[in-house]
């Protein structure tokens, strides 16, 4: 059976930290579906179309990566695309505390979906979309934080 992992997030915008997690995930899973979810608590800087386009460009040569958008519960979307795994990246103990609660709730909701955490590489631990957005808004040099070829 094909091992499919869903990598859910806002990706507003995608950063080198996200790409690092996808690359590591590809060593474990057959396919990764990068799924941009609508998060009611977050207002986005970039449109859904723009975020999807950048991700497609970055992984244009990687047929095992797909980009999708979804609404509703992440576990329901996993079932829709046949993913038995949710992939999430961990940068800090704070990330873990938050992620653990969500993973437990997801497990209660759907038994057949397992959350898999991958640790951020040390160099990318301090990168977040929030920081990148702040640099973009204030016209700073964001190039170190985002994949090559992505221009805002
Ligand atoms: P969300 O709104 O769901 O947190 P994000 O786009 O911010 O969406 O993050 C998606 C996933 O990528 C999360 O699991 C997050 O922990 C992970 N992630 C974000 N930045 C990094 C990074 N620098 N290193 C490793 N994982 C990261």
């Amino acid at each position: 059976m094909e091992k499919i992992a869903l990598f859910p997030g806002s990706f507003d915008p995608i950063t080198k930290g996200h790409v690092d997690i996808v690359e590591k995930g590809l060593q474990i899973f057959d396919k990764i579906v990068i799924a941009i979810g609508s998060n009611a608590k977050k207002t986005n800087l970039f449109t859904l179309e723009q975020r999807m386009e950048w991700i497609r460009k970055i992984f244009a040569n990687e047929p095992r990566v797909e980009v999708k958008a979804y609404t509703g519960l992440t576990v329901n979307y996993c079932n829709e695309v046949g993913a038995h795994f949710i992939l999430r990246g961990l940068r800090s103990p704070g990330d873990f505390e938050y992620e653990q609660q969500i993973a437990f709730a997801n497990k209660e909701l759907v038994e057949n979906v397992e959350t898999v955490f991958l640790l951020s590489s040390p160099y990318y631990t301090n990168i977040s979309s929030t920081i990148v957005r702040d640099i973009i808004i204030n016209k700073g040099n964001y190039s170190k934080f985002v994949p090559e070829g992505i221009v805002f």
Side-chain angles (χ1 to χ4, degrees), residues 109-129:
L109 290 168
V110 174
E111 180 57 37
N112 69 346
V113 175
E114 204 60 50
T115 303
V116 174
F117 298 111
L118 291 180
L119 287 181
S120 167
S121 300
Y123 187 74
Y124 300 125
T125 302
N126 296 316
I127 302 180
S128 69
S129 294

Side-chain angles (χ1 to χ4, degrees), residues 58-131:
I58 293 160
F59 295 104
N61 296 321
E62 182 43 86
R64 294 191 298 137
V65 173
E66 260 182 39
V67 189
K68 302 266 193 202
Y70 74 103
T71 52
L73 290 176
T74 304
V75 281
N76 290 348
Y77 194 62
C78 283
N79 281 335
E80 224 175 278
V81 299
H84 290 290
F85 303 92
I86 293 175
L87 175 62
R88 294 287 285 178
L90 293 180
R91 288 162 290 190
S92 63
D95 267 1
F96 176 72
E97 270 183 32
Y98 171 73
E99 294 290 342
Q100 188 189 31
Q101 287 178 14
I102 296 173
F104 283 154
N106 283 339
K107 196 69 186 174
E108 290 295 321
L109 290 168
V110 174
E111 180 57 37
N112 69 346
V113 175
E114 204 60 50
T115 303
V116 174
F117 298 111
L118 291 180
L119 287 181
S120 167
S121 300
Y123 187 74
Y124 300 125
T125 302
N126 296 316
I127 302 180
S128 69
S129 294
T130 308
I131 290 173

